[in-house]
Amino acid sequence: MSKKTLKNIFAEKINKKEIYNDIINESERKISYYKIILTSACIIVLFCIGFVANYRKNVTLESKDEIYMNDLTPENRDINCSLSKDIFSSEEYTNTTSMIDENKTYSYSKKDKITNNILINISLPSGVYLNKIQKVENHLHDYKDPTYYNKLLYQDENGFKKIAISYSQTTFKENNSINSATKTSKINNLTLAIYQNSEIYMTYFRFQDQYYEVVSQNLNEEEFINLLKSIIKKK
Amino acid sequence: MASQETLKKFNELYENTYNDISKYVVCNCNNIEDVKDIIQNIYLEVFKSLNKNITMNKSYIFGIAKNKVKDYYRFRYKDKIVALFSTKNEEETIKEIPSEIDIEQSTIIKFDTELVWQYLKSKKVVIAKIFYLYYYLGLTMKEIAKSLNLTESNVKHYLYRTLKDLSAYLEKGE
């Protein structure tokens, strides 16, 4: 009896079956821990990849801006600008212009949404430099730097990201007073509506999934068309 | 989840080796209370190895046991149980011990498992080891003496004295 009792005491305190159950439970619990850890790790890795991809995208955009800005130094900006007009007038081009057809649907459409909001590299005629690239502006009207070529990415009231190119001494707000297009031009199969008010030319178009607004002052029609041709180039 | 085959293998190994492994752990532990944890660690390792399709045998499990016992005490404070009774007159008492020990018959009539366990824990660790090996695993005193590197008379002495003290302790407890 008492031998058995002492045996029972040890059997109870160091219980074979209890140890066995603990082992089985522990092994299953460890497996589920691994699953949780693995899932968490996957989520973190995916999050990190997304973050890095986004970061790299921003860095690329900034570096592009940097290149454009470095194109023009303050010292030679005036010289470059004066050169640009001579180059425009000397270039040969074969564009056709005609009177505007009111019923025609133009390539520019405000309803189209674009996702590509990255400033693309527009190759301008040699000797013409961009004054500066600005980041997304909320109000195009407020943007004024009339002396030189400007290119900026802005967001209109409908949320569209647009590239605006200016060669004008007026603000975009002033140029917006022109309400009706007077002519159309076809460059590389792209039909453009050109708005003219005395010496100011304006046009809006969509090229390679990117919206553009181009305005010029003191350029004649040929020079303006030449400017458009430099933007609308077949890849 | 472990496969049924692995579980079957594990059950077989567990049944076949439990007594030997528990004997090894008891003989090499520093505290009788650690035995359960160490055995659990050993068999968890065995289970993990089986999942990796490693062929298992008794000697392999003993290898695991050896490492696990070492690991268990490597970074752990080693509890040394201090003996509460004097061992000055061991030689005299050993002579008095009868060859057939049946003192437990008269001592533990009304027992309390917890009380006995606590009492054994408060004694030298070797006493709990002897009790486990003698009563639970049913080893002879000679075998116990060999396993614990003691003399047979020492084992007898420990058993006799502890049972006597335990009897007094339980009576006092009542």
Side-chain angles (χ1 to χ4, degrees), chain A residues 10 15 24 35 48 53 58-59 63 69-70 80 103 105 108 119 131 133 138 144 147 151 171 179-180 224 226:
Chain A
F10 283 105
N15 193 296
I24 299 299
K35 279 180 187 172
C48 289
N58 290 340
V59 167
S63 63
M69 288 174 79
N70 290 340
N80 289 327
N103 298 323
T105 307
Y108 174 76
L119 270 175
N131 183 18
I133 302 295
N138 286 326
K144 186 178 181 181
T147 317
K151 185 170 74 169
T171 63
N179 292 321
S180 59
F224 184 68
N226 203 25

Side-chain angles (χ1 to χ4, degrees), chain A residues 20 24, chain B residues 2-12 47:
Chain A
Y20 175 83
I24 299 299
Chain B
S3 69
Q4 287 298 317
E5 200 185 338
T6 311
L7 206 62
K8 198 180 166 186
K9 271 185 195 172
F10 178 74
N11 290 346
E12 200 180 315
F47 196 86

Side-chain angles (χ1 to χ4, degrees), chain A residues 70-191:
Chain A
N70 290 340
D71 281 347
L72 189 66
T73 55
E75 292 79 23
N76 60 9
R77 194 169 61 179
D78 294 337
I79 301 164
N80 289 327
C81 192
S82 61
L83 277 171
S84 65
K85 278 192 75 175
D86 300 335
I87 289 159
F88 275 145
S89 55
S90 63
E91 273 195 3
E92 287 183 352
Y93 49 89
T94 54
N95 64 299
T96 55
T97 55
S98 58
M99 294 305 289
I100 191 163
D101 182 3
E102 293 294 335
N103 298 323
K104 201 170 180 178
T105 307
Y106 298 107
S107 57
Y108 174 76
S109 170
K110 282 189 176 181
K111 287 177 184 174
D112 292 340
K113 278 210 166 186
I114 56 165
T115 52
N116 178 18
N117 61 352
I118 302 166
L119 270 175
I120 59 168
N121 185 7
I122 300 164
S123 55
L124 294 169
S126 59
V128 176
Y129 296 92
L130 292 169
N131 183 18
K132 62 179 175 181
I133 302 295
Q134 295 198 351
K135 289 183 180 177
V136 175
E137 298 280 340
N138 286 326
H139 304 289
L140 182 62
H141 312 314
D142 300 335
Y143 179 74
K144 186 178 181 181
D145 192 356
T147 317
Y148 309 108
Y149 258 113
N150 292 292
K151 185 170 74 169
L152 76 155
L153 182 71
Y154 78 100
Q155 198 166 359
D156 70 4
E157 63 275 7
N158 297 322
F160 295 117
K161 299 274 172 51
K162 294 174 180 176
I163 290 176
I165 294 160
S166 169
Y167 191 78
S168 168
Q169 290 178 351
T170 57
T171 63
F172 281 91
K173 190 177 183 178
E174 287 165 332
N175 294 324
N176 278 343
S177 60
I178 307 166
N179 292 321
S180 59
T182 51
K183 285 183 178 179
T184 58
S185 179
K186 198 171 183 179
I187 301 171
N188 284 334
N189 295 323
L190 184 67
T191 308

Side-chain angles (χ1 to χ4, degrees), chain A residues 190-207:
Chain A
L190 184 67
T191 308
L192 308 168
I194 296 169
Y195 301 77
Q196 188 189 6
N197 184 4
S198 65
E199 58 188 8
I200 296 166
Y201 285 97
M202 283 182 70
T203 186
Y204 309 94
F205 60 92
R206 185 183 175 184
F207 178 61

Side-chain angles (χ1 to χ4, degrees), chain B residues 94-143:
Chain B
I94 287 165
K95 286 172 190 171
E96 293 169 10
I97 299 169
S99 55
E100 287 297 319
I101 300 172
D102 58 353
I103 194 166
E104 66 271 16
Q105 296 281 350
S106 55
T107 52
I108 312 170
I109 300 162
K110 290 180 184 179
F111 68 93
D112 185 335
T113 306
E114 201 54 42
L115 217 58
V116 174
W117 181 250
Q118 290 301 329
Y119 179 80
L120 286 173
K121 276 201 310 181
S122 70
K123 295 287 177 185
K124 271 184 176 178
V125 67
V126 73
I127 292 169
K129 287 180 180 185
I130 290 167
F131 267 70
Y132 182 84
L133 296 171
Y134 186 77
Y135 288 108
Y136 184 76
L137 291 180
L139 300 184
T140 63
M141 289 198 190
K142 201 176 178 179
E143 285 170 329

Side-chain angles (χ1 to χ4, degrees), chain A residues 2 13 16 18 20 23, chain B residues 11 14-15 36 104 114:
Chain A
S2 53
K13 290 296 170 186
K16 191 179 170 183
E18 198 180 311
Y20 175 83
I23 292 161
Chain B
N11 290 346
Y14 190 74
E15 287 300 325
K36 195 178 164 184
E104 66 271 16
E114 201 54 42

